[in-house]
Amino acid sequence: MCGIVGYIGKKKAVPILMDGLRKESYRGYDSSGIVVFEQGKPICLKAVGKLENLENRIQTNKYGSGFGIGHVRWATHGGVTEANAHPHCDCKENIFLVHNGIIENYRQLREKLVREGHKFSSDTDTEVIAHLIEKYFQGKLEEAVRKALRQVKGAYALAVIARDDPEKIIAARFSSPLIIGVGQNEYLVASDPNAIAPYAQKVIALEDNEIAIITPKDISILKEREPQDLEIEAEESEKGGYPHFMLKEIMEQPESIGSPLKGRLIIAQGLAKLGGLETVKEKLKNVKRLNIIACGTARHAGLVGEYMLEEYAGIPTEVEAGSEFRYRKQILDKNTAILAVSQSGETADTLGAIKEAKQKGMMCIGIVNAVGSTISRETDAGVYNHAGPEIGVASTKAFTSQLTVLALLTLLLGRQRGMSLVMGQRIAKEISRIPELVKKTLESEAQIKELAEKYKDFNNFAYIGRKYNLPIALEGALKLKEISYLHAEGMPAGEMKHGQIALIDENFPTVAICPSDSVYEKMVSNVEEIKARKGPVIAIATQGNEDIKKLVDDVIYIPKTLEMLTPILSVIPLQLFAYYVGLLRGCDIDKPRNLAKSVTVE
Ligand code: G6P
């Protein structure tokens, strides 16, 4: 994946940068570039494809500059083009930088900078940092970088140089590794120690929020401790024209799922590429059992993950609430790994369980949305959702993003242990279609609003599902409880007849999640049992299933997809239903009573 290298000292920078890039290239990349200044003029060279393509453009020994930066890129935001390759620069070709990580609020920042007159030349998230630095630059590069980074939300390792403040590299990191190599009257910067091993005798590992000012003579490190600008919070908190964050977050799911998929799927090879797991990839091959630890909505995502991982990766998987895992006797061995799933990365029960597991020597990996959060730091490795900040207390886009990442993880682990190429390709291709299918699913919004009107005065609801959609029944019921304060219970459809059915009459509606999958016929039988007792039924069914209309009172259709991916679609009508019922009942949608977004107490 992406790699950074930088050099400042008495030697010629270009050959050292190229050597570093070659050593970083083993991680996979699709383009590369370097920049140095020659007599105050930037020489910025980039190429798509193999490093040799870049080498062919550079007469390595021609340039005498003693400082510069370079990068190998693995595309995430923006296609594989020369314009999108790093280094990126500002409008005046003064500031140049290379970046690893993802800037989550780049869209808002970019729109604002464009309004202020900045001209962009790439589709990347990275370029916004160059323009932000330009905005604050008044002669001292470190000052401008410091101010710019206060505006930025996401993960980054950065190396920055400026024509108008030469003989200086500014390096900064948050949640992406970056080290500084100390040589003889020379310094190097790299995201991978291999890149600088021949030149550096000692290294300094930058810590989160640190900014290093590196000159040929010395190095000093600033710790950025000040809180983020309120301005940013306000910007991010904008509801984008929606009346509530919850609705905004439901409607932006095609994007919150789609953006992070870029660069994570290799369809032709039927593979998932998850950079955050690279360091433990080999260790993962020996994992014989997985314990998924999560709370609330994230636990429901974990339950879907259990079905995926067992069916397609063949790994026995157990899901447990953090609050339970911590205090019971666990039978764990060294081949069991812990997978923590958390939107905020701060949930006390999940965190407590990780600490417990770490004490026992278990490997812990995470699926976390909030970059740099405690869980992301406490785990050995992990995958960021990059779904963007979730403000509404009821989790929606984080949930569908967790399901998508679990599908990617299933693909990765499945292919490590015998899943065929054809199956891998099929799953990868279908995952890539999910954002478009989510978009189609959201088209039912108006119909769901009408249904909310029809059902809003019932006091009790049952949600039933089987297999992959059982956790969605639990999640659908949870959403309704959280937002409308109505009583709702989610349960396995087959369990209905063992007790719950006693409650069913014409005043007790059931939401039945019954897409056309391997358990469809069984679901229909359970729906028949409810209808025989006059219970109203809303079905979530697959587009094209006209038969179901004859059996139930109302149907909401979702597009067809692979069975393991249906939960990502089937949950969406349930999110919208909860939203509109809550709204019609006058509830406080974004701040439901008694609930907190991030529960940092036991
Ligand atoms: C709280 C939130 C839920 C969330 C749960 C777990 O209860 O209200 O929406 O699912 O915590 O949070 P996490 O941040 O760990 O996913």
Side-chain angles (χ1 to χ4, degrees), residues 445-459:
E445 188 194 359
Q447 184 210 350
I448 295 168
K449 205 168 162 182
E450 278 172 28
L451 286 183
E453 191 70 64
K454 177 171 166 188
Y455 286 92
K456 69 175 195 310
D457 295 321
F458 287 94
N459 290 320

Side-chain angles (χ1 to χ4, degrees), residues 295-298 341-345 347 350 393-395 402 482 596-597 599:
C295 302
T297 289
V341 184
S342 173
Q343 187 288 126
S344 63
T347 303
T350 310
V393 167
S395 183
Q402 285 156 352
E482 286 177 310
K597 182 72 189 154
V599 181

Side-chain angles (χ1 to χ4, degrees), residues 277 280 284 290 337-341 363-367 379-382 409:
L277 295 183
V280 293
L284 283 172
L290 265 175
I338 302 295
L339 170 61
V341 184
M363 170 164 76
C364 294
I365 57 176
I367 296 178
T379 38
D380 299 301
L409 184 66

Side-chain angles (χ1 to χ4, degrees), residues 285-299:
K285 288 185 182 159
N286 302 323
V287 168
K288 301 255 180 320
R289 227 181 96 195
L290 265 175
N291 269 52
I292 299 182
I293 311 286
C295 302
T297 289
R299 190 174 71 86

Side-chain angles (χ1 to χ4, degrees), residues 33-77:
I34 58 158
V35 64
V36 291
F37 293 117
E38 288 287 315
Q39 279 103 42
K41 255 191 70 195
I43 310 289
C44 182
L45 297 159
K46 307 183 191 186
V48 165
K50 293 226 156 14
L51 256 186
E52 288 87 77
N53 299 346
L54 179 64
E55 264 159 348
N56 291 339
R57 295 208 168 163
I58 304 173
Q59 291 152 291
T60 308
N61 282 315
K62 183 173 154 195
Y63 303 111
S65 170
F67 80 111
I69 52 177
H71 192 257
V72 278
R73 173 177 189 247
W74 173 268
T76 58
H77 293 59

